[in-house]
Amino acid sequence: MIANYGYKDGSGDFFISIDTNKCMECEEKPCMEACPAGILEKFADDYNDVVVGVKEEHRKKIKYSCAECKPASGKRNLACQAACKPDAIAHTW
Amino acid sequence: MVEVKEFWRWKEYNWKNPDIQWKDAAVITAGVDVGSVSSQAVVMCDNEIYAFANMRTGSDSPNGALNAMKWALEDTGMTLDDIHCKVGTGYGRVNVPFADRAITEIACHAKGANYMYGPTVRTIMDMGGQDCKAIRCDEKGKVVSFLMNDKCAAGTGRGMESFASLLGVSIEEVGELSLQVEEEPPPVSNTCVVFAKTEATGLLRSGWSTEKVLAAYCSAMAHRVVSLLERIGMEEDFAITGGIAKNVGVVSRLEKELGVKALKPRYDTQIAGAMGAALFAKALVEKGENR
Amino acid sequence: MITAGIDVGNKNTRALILKDGEVLARSLVPSGFDQKKAARDVFDATLKRAGISEADVDYTMATGTGQEKVTFAHGRVTEVSSAARGAVKIFPGARTVIDVGAEEGRAIKTDEKGKVMDFAINEKCAAGTGSFVESMSRALEVTLEEMGPLSLNGENSVPMNAQCAVFAESEVISLIHSRIPKEDIAKSIHEAMASRISSMVRRVGIQKDVVMLGGVAYNKGFVEALEEDLELKLLIPEDYPEYISAFGAALVAVDKAGSK
């Protein structure tokens, strides 16, 4: 399953998408530790797969939560993506 | 005194299948979908819908869930104890005190749409009171891909309510009125409902009719929904659920932009989530996991 | 030399006339739905107040989101550039400029000459703009002007879940129903908006001095919330924080007129 967490508003599309089929194969889930804002969590989804998702309290302000890794200009450093071994995390913005 | 009209108000109702004797049923299950704006309860006897209720969610969700359930059971003689398994879903799913299990509205919508529209459904667009969900599922109603937008009012029932109030039009008339234009106007340019309302005020002042402004808003809403569908990938058959599915002004423009016809609903489009919850409840009973 | 800056915003249009570095006159009109007329009207009013005629003005510079509507202007400058230029003129130490208006929010990084180094804009969504506070004031049934003082009297804040102005309105109404004092609600509203503005500012990087401009700078409740969030003191132009872009545009006009 491709799970998209985030939102679209007047200012744009802000989603983190997680490929749960890839994510469930990874035991350690190092992405959670890697995220400086601590927005990721591990849980069992509706089909009982243990996967990573964006914490509820961050879903509606993800543009702001992720701001630290995405400066207005200069190099972006997406720590979660870099840490994800199965390449399951993508950002839309 | 000035009468305050509630333009957002839509009809709440309950329904019961007169052909079913619930006492003959082997498995009775229920699903309750507690949304931020409306709540639905569906009762299933074996494979059939027996009864449902659709109402506005009150300010506290535990009562909202119970009220919807009680209303669905009105005049049936059935009590909560007669139901073998109850599943809660929706934004207020953790606040359904009588539920045996809580399941996300994404999974429930896919499951419910699979039943309501048949197993050929691959893409579901749910336009609810306070969120939009784009869901892709397989032939069993299992989610393949999803996106939920509950941050922004654009594209939601609440946004439409707010817009309808500004124009003094009842929410139930918006769709029909928006089609009463000779020529389709360009869509409202602001996505944000707050800014769209300011824009609408300007359009009215410049001489646009209420119908024309509604047409411009409905087409902006359709356009926004298309962009959500594009993100998850659109595959036929396509179904629209939720309260906005009853708005012909949005639905017809959405179909036109997608170049795809939505499946005709056989049931109330607002009960898809509760329906799916009742089906999950049935699966739990069959697996012996209902308690 | 006499120059003028005209700033056409979504809500208000402002004009400012400068003579040899001194402000001769300034005025404001609501932009309404005819920005072209608003620009003309505000310019005429300002000329009258300054006691001069249009022919006396050497150079007129337009700025703001509706700058192209100022057909009589000699030139145009972006609202980001005019804000930075104006802010640095008033506060020479300014390196970060926060400009929050009715329908936009901006964070600008500038050099010592008022040249823009980097910026971030929050627009097209009411949540990070003055419109948010305005919508909330309606839900609280107080005037926009009362929001600031009300919030300064707030003691506890309640977390606001809604990020959208439309949803936040419903949330505020339910907070009122659950008898949360209006002061506390107002405080929470400002904190919620401050956190959105501060993360926008962090994206361009915070370098002191930090200046706050725009109509929202009049709102002391918001300013306090933002200062707490950013953990620093904001510099705010005393008399007219919302005229700084028009002022900056008039300064740019001086350069242009000089090189003509």
Side-chain angles (χ1 to χ4, degrees):
Chain A
M1 169 161 76
I2 310 289
N4 290 285
Y5 298 100
Y7 62 87
K8 175 189 184 74
D9 67 9
S11 62
D13 283 31
F14 307 94
F15 289 99
I16 289 183
S17 85
I18 294 170
D19 186 334
T20 60
N21 295 346
K22 288 180 181 169
C23 180
M24 62 192 269
E25 302 296 334
C26 166
E27 290 283 331
E28 308 83 17
K29 321 258 190 239
C31 54
M32 295 194 300
E33 282 292 317
C35 171
I39 70 162
L40 300 172
E41 67 179 350
K42 187 165 80 173
F43 68 105
D45 71 9
D46 292 319
Y47 306 109
N48 288 322
D49 296 328
V50 176
V51 297
V52 161
V54 175
K55 288 178 190 167
E56 182 77 44
E57 69 260 35
H58 288 285
R59 290 181 194 169
K60 291 180 203 163
K61 52 175 187 183
I62 198 163
K63 176 170 87 173
Y64 306 110
S65 301
C66 290
E68 194 181 329
C69 295
K70 299 181 176 188
S73 61
K75 205 171 177 293
R76 290 151 59 99
N77 175 26
L78 304 180
C80 57
Q81 225 173 32
C84 178
K85 285 174 208 156
D87 195 19
I89 303 176
H91 292 239
T92 65
W93 81 108
Chain B
M1 204 179 123
V2 184
E3 187 197 354
V4 179
K5 274 204 175 164
E6 294 175 312
F7 294 109
W8 47 262
R9 199 169 277 287
W10 40 267
K11 226 169 108 197
E12 301 174 291
Y13 73 109
N14 61 356
W15 177 88
K16 178 172 68 171
N17 187 337
D19 302 330
I20 293 177
Q21 300 300 322
W22 66 265
K23 286 187 176 154
D24 299 339
V27 180
I28 303 174
T29 61
V32 189
D33 181 356
V34 183
S36 44
V37 176
S38 70
S39 294
Q40 295 81 25
V42 168
V43 182
M44 279 192 87
C45 286
D46 298 324
N47 272 320
E48 298 291 325
I49 299 183
Y50 170 58
F52 72 82
N54 180 9
M55 64 198 298
R56 239 181 136 82
T57 306
S59 49
D60 62 327
S61 57
N63 282 333
L66 195 59
N67 291 345
M69 199 66 232
K70 276 188 182 160
W71 208 27
L73 295 178
E74 194 182 57
D75 298 330
T76 62
M78 192 191 286
T79 67
L80 278 178
D81 293 335
D82 296 317
I83 302 170
H84 302 123
C85 183
K86 300 167 274 283
V87 167
T89 188
Y91 156 87
R93 64 178 174 276
V94 291
N95 280 323
V96 185
F98 54 84
D100 301 298
R101 186 78 69 89
I103 295 176
T104 68
E105 56 269 45
I106 304 287
C108 287
H109 257 86
K111 193 100 177 153
N114 178 270
Y115 177 92
M116 289 166 61
Y117 296 88
T120 58
V121 171
R122 288 294 170 279
T123 310
I124 302 143
M125 186 70 228
D126 176 60
M127 284 184 273
Q130 215 158 292
D131 66 20
C132 271
K133 296 183 264 288
I135 306 168
R136 257 193 327 136
C137 66
D138 65 13
E139 70 288 350
K140 291 188 180 117
K142 191 184 168 192
V143 179
V144 173
S145 170
F146 77 87
L147 170 163
M148 170 153 130
N149 196 15
D150 60 352
K151 185 256 172 182
C152 168
T156 69
R158 186 84 82 192
M160 186 57 99
E161 283 174 3
S162 177
F163 200 82
S165 297
L166 174 80
L167 297 180
V169 173
S170 153
I171 190 92
E172 291 179 317
E173 292 166 16
V174 167
E176 286 292 345
L177 281 175
S178 80
L179 295 175
Q180 292 168 21
V181 284
E182 280 171 23
E183 212 181 325
E184 188 69 14
V188 168
S189 65
N190 282 289
T191 300
C192 175
V193 178
V194 175
F195 296 160
K197 283 165 75 176
T198 310
E199 188 178 342
T201 310
L203 293 172
L204 288 170
R205 275 196 213 170
S206 73
W208 281 36
S209 66
T210 301
E211 289 80 4
K212 197 172 167 187
V213 175
L214 285 173
Y217 189 69
C218 287
S219 81
M221 200 155 176
H223 182 68
R224 175 183 173 80
V225 167
V226 168
S227 71
L228 294 178
L229 285 168
E230 278 167 355
R231 187 159 291 290
I232 62 152
M234 165 82 192
E235 201 186 332
E236 288 189 77
D237 291 348
F238 172 58
I240 310 171
T241 62
I244 301 284
K246 297 174 183 174
N247 181 320
V248 289
V250 176
V251 171
S252 63
R253 289 176 175 92
L254 178 57
E255 288 177 331
K256 201 172 159 204
E257 192 169 339
L258 285 172
V260 166
K261 283 274 176 205
L263 294 173
K264 288 273 164 276
R266 286 184 291 150
Y267 304 92
D268 186 324
T269 55
Q270 282 182 272
I271 66 168
M275 184 74 235
L279 289 163
F280 268 113
K282 186 165 170 279
L284 289 172
V285 173
E286 283 158 2
K287 278 192 273 181
E289 291 174 12
N290 53 320
R291 288 294 138 119
Chain C
M1 181 187 300
I2 299 179
T3 62
I6 319 260
D7 174 15
V8 186
N10 286 307
K11 195 178 175 195
N12 292 317
T13 295
R14 293 150 286 245
L16 184 144
I17 295 173
L18 211 56
K19 185 183 181 187
D20 305 326
E22 292 293 318
V23 177
L24 269 189
R26 59 189 161 87
S27 45
L28 171 153
V29 300
S31 301
F33 299 101
D34 187 350
Q35 292 181 325
K36 200 171 163 178
K37 183 176 179 297
R40 187 71 250 175
D41 288 353
V42 79
F43 190 38
D44 289 344
T46 316
L47 287 169
K48 199 174 163 196
R49 206 169 272 185
I52 58 172
S53 73
E54 192 169 349
D56 299 327
V57 181
D58 296 292
Y59 207 96
T60 305
M61 194 61 114
T63 188
T65 48
Q67 53 180 269
E68 77 283 0
K69 302 284 168 62
V70 193
T71 44
F72 56 84
H74 300 106
R76 291 184 210 158
V77 57
T78 66
E79 50 272 33
V80 173
S81 297
S82 59
R85 183 64 190 272
V88 171
K89 180 78 181 177
I90 295 173
F91 299 110
R95 293 298 173 269
T96 308
V97 180
I98 304 169
D99 181 2
V100 188
E103 295 197 3
E104 313 92 357
R106 287 181 274 271
I108 308 158
K109 190 193 230 172
T110 167
D111 70 5
E112 71 287 353
K113 290 185 185 120
K115 190 178 163 222
V116 177
M117 309 299 285
D118 199 353
F119 68 93
I121 302 186
N122 197 354
E123 55 173 355
K124 294 178 180 143
C125 167
T129 72
S131 297
F132 182 77
V133 181
E134 203 177 331
S135 294
M136 296 312 107
S137 71
R138 276 197 297 271
L140 274 177
E141 294 178 325
V142 300
T143 64
L144 182 56
E145 290 70 32
E146 286 170 305
M147 283 296 281
L150 198 61
S151 136
L152 292 176
N153 288 324
E155 285 174 4
N156 305 301
S157 45
V158 275
M160 297 264 304
N161 296 315
Q163 296 288 328
C164 168
V166 174
F167 294 160
E169 241 179 280
S170 322
E171 197 173 340
V172 164
I173 290 165
S174 64
L175 289 174
I176 296 171
H177 281 296
S178 46
R179 299 180 189 285
I180 307 281
K182 281 190 180 183
E183 290 81 2
D184 290 357
I185 302 176
K187 186 175 161 76
S188 314
I189 289 163
H190 290 137
E191 284 176 2
M193 185 165 141
S195 89
R196 289 191 281 272
I197 300 294
S198 75
S199 60
M200 175 178 71
V201 180
R202 290 197 172 94
R203 286 187 60 216
V204 301
I206 303 163
Q207 210 183 327
K208 286 186 184 172
D209 296 343
V210 183
V211 175
M212 162 118 198
L213 312 174
V216 178
Y218 288 117
N219 181 333
K220 295 209 162 57
F222 174 77
V223 170
E224 190 186 90
L226 186 58
E227 285 181 333
E228 253 170 49
D229 200 309
L230 292 172
E231 296 174 341
L232 51 80
K233 197 94 189 117
L234 294 169
L235 298 177
I236 297 171
E238 251 175 51
D239 319 323
Y240 44 91
E242 58 174 330
Y243 280 92
I244 304 305
S245 284
F247 177 61
L251 290 171
V252 177
V254 174
D255 305 345
K256 294 278 180 187
S259 63
K260 206 162 50 173

